[in-house]
Amino acid sequence: MPAHLEVYRPLFAGLDKLSESHAHAEEVKPVRRKISLRYWAGGIAAGLALCLILAKFLPGDTAESYVIINGKRYTDPALVQAKAREALDNVSYTDEELHSLLFPLEP
C-alpha cells in the first residue's frame, strides 16, 4: 500500500467489518405467517357490521329545515326563513356601531 494512503487503513478496516455484518444479516430471512381464511372472513364481517351500524345512526337525505319556538317545532319553510331573517336582523350592526366596537379609543 502506498505510504500516502496509510492514514486511511482504519477507515477501510471498519468498512470491511461493516460489510461482513451486513452479509450475515442478509442470510437471515423473516418468517412469514400464513393468514387463514377465518381471519379474513372475520375482518370482512366486522367491517360490514360497522358499515351497517353507521348507516343506521347517520342522518340520511331526510333533513328538512325547522325552527323551534317556545319548545315547539315548526317545519313551514316560509316561517323558518322569516324567523332566520329576524334573528339575523337582531344581531346585525350598523357601520357606526361596528366601528365603535372595533376602535373604541378613537374620537
Side-chain angles (χ1 to χ4, degrees), residues 75-98:
T75 58
D76 179 32
L79 179 65
V80 170
Q81 286 180 348
K83 290 299 180 179
R85 176 78 54 201
E86 182 182 326
L88 286 174
D89 290 339
N90 287 338
V91 296
S92 64
Y93 294 104
T94 64
D95 288 339
E96 292 83 20
E97 291 172 333
L98 189 59

Side-chain angles (χ1 to χ4, degrees), residues 27-77:
E27 293 173 3
V28 178
K29 293 184 180 179
V31 177
R32 293 190 59 175
R33 293 184 179 180
K34 290 185 179 180
I35 299 175
S36 68
L37 180 60
R38 182 181 292 173
Y39 180 78
W40 281 102
I44 292 170
L48 288 174
L50 181 64
C51 288
L52 290 173
I53 290 171
L54 288 176
K56 180 170 177 73
F57 290 111
L58 292 177
D61 292 339
T62 59
E64 61 181 24
S65 298
Y66 65 92
V67 65
I68 297 177
I69 302 171
N70 294 330
K72 190 171 179 185
R73 180 178 170 160
Y74 296 95
T75 58
D76 179 32

Side-chain angles (χ1 to χ4, degrees), residues 1-13:
M1 181 179 249
H4 69 281
L5 295 178
E6 266 314 303
V7 293
Y8 298 113
R9 182 182 293 274
L11 174 67
F12 289 112

